[in-house]
Amino acid sequence: MKAELIAAARRFNRTVTQRVGALDDEYMARGRPLAQARLLWEIGPGGAEVAVLRARLGLDSGYLSRLLRTLEGDGLVTVGPADQVGGDARVRAAVLTDAGRAEWAELDRRSDELAWSILEPLTEQRRERLVAAMAEVERLLIASMVVIEPCPPSDPRARACVRAYARDIARRFDDGFDPALSNPVHDEELVPPAGVFLLATLNAEPVGCGAVKLHRDAPAEIKRVWVADSVRGLGIGRRMLDELERYAAERGWAACRLDTNGNLTEAIAMYRSAGYREIEPYNTEYYAHHWFEKHLAP
């Protein structure tokens, strides 16, 4: 990566942290640093499970526990069984006290004031430019937060993604989707050395998947590439495709194949832009209208 890009990202981070008050020891003059204020905000009037807070904020368990103890000591939060917020009693949840709800409302008001102070010095045109730029930066930052890594196909998160994939294609295919009519993909085909299942997560929540089967004496085969609606348009599908290709290439495969349905126009466009060329059918997949192949760089 170019050094200028690294320098620009660091410069941006310095400007933002200074402008939003992240460097202040008392964020928004409320007597606590930003981390505590943000945690209080995320708990919110409805409360939240501790595990959800940990995943959403990307905090390790020890640090989150210390933050919660501080907020408890200030009389703003109570931590107990999640059934108090409609959850499982075996799970811990954080709930705002009356004082916590009042503090949350004050943070909300002051957050509006901070946003106003950022926009107010600018002309109307520059305000619109800044807000549009913020939206783009937010989308790109979210994209950079997505993690793609191997996952056992039997993992509950993998199962959930495959079910979502099936629901998605059933909605988009002309005649729906019946797994009994489709060529099966068995778990044992998606674990090393036979292949791999990759899971994409955002804040520990599954948002996409893909798999590659490493056939003996034949090109690798890409299967079940799916991305959740919440992260569509962020390039996650292309990243997943790249990771699957890389996995196959690193293990000596010189080409990848895949089949797809004609109604999946965005996927077809992605495959073509990624260098796949259409070939003759190489299988008898009931729902396939197009078959593609790509030669991989060593």
Side-chain angles (χ1 to χ4, degrees), residues 89-157:
R90 295 169 296 179
V91 177
R92 291 198 312 151
V95 178
L96 299 182
T97 63
D98 289 342
R101 284 189 288 273
E103 182 63 17
W104 187 94
E106 181 62 19
L107 278 175
D108 187 46
R109 185 184 70 81
R110 295 194 181 207
S111 295
D112 281 345
E113 290 180 350
L114 175 59
W116 181 90
S117 72
I118 292 172
L119 297 171
E120 193 276 333
L122 305 176
T123 64
E124 187 64 30
Q125 183 180 26
R126 290 180 180 275
R127 290 171 190 168
E128 292 178 359
R129 285 177 56 193
L130 177 58
V131 171
M134 287 175 169
E136 180 66 8
V137 168
E138 181 183 19
R139 283 174 54 81
L140 294 174
L141 286 176
I142 289 173
S144 75
M145 293 164 61
V146 173
V147 176
I148 298 177
E149 56 190 356
C151 176
S154 58
D155 186 289
R157 299 170 300 166

Side-chain angles (χ1 to χ4, degrees), residues 198-226:
L198 298 184
L199 182 72
T201 57
L202 176 62
N203 296 329
E205 292 297 318
V207 294
C209 67
V212 62
K213 297 162 65 175
L214 301 179
H215 298 297
R216 289 185 179 180
D217 303 320
E221 185 178 14
I222 289 176
K223 305 294 292 184
R224 292 178 170 171
V225 175
W226 171 80

Side-chain angles (χ1 to χ4, degrees), residues 169-182:
I169 60 177
R171 176 176 56 84
R172 301 191 62 182
F173 288 2
D174 290 334
D175 300 320
F177 176 69
D178 181 355
L181 299 177
S182 182

Side-chain angles (χ1 to χ4, degrees), residues 24-103:
D24 299 339
D25 60 347
E26 296 187 359
Y27 185 64
M28 294 189 185
R30 296 305 296 166
R32 59 186 56 84
L34 174 59
Q36 294 177 22
R38 175 64 188 276
L39 178 57
L40 184 74
W41 171 263
E42 291 294 341
I43 294 170
E49 293 182 3
V50 173
V52 172
L53 292 169
R54 184 170 63 248
R56 187 186 302 162
L57 296 174
L59 302 176
D60 69 69
S61 299
Y63 183 46
L64 178 60
S65 295
R66 292 193 295 274
L67 291 174
L68 286 171
R69 283 198 299 270
T70 299
L71 294 177
E72 280 189 292
D74 291 342
L76 303 176
V77 169
T78 60
V79 178
D83 56 356
Q84 59 187 327
V85 293
D88 189 333
R90 295 169 296 179
V91 177
R92 291 198 312 151
V95 178
L96 299 182
T97 63
D98 289 342
R101 284 189 288 273
E103 182 63 17

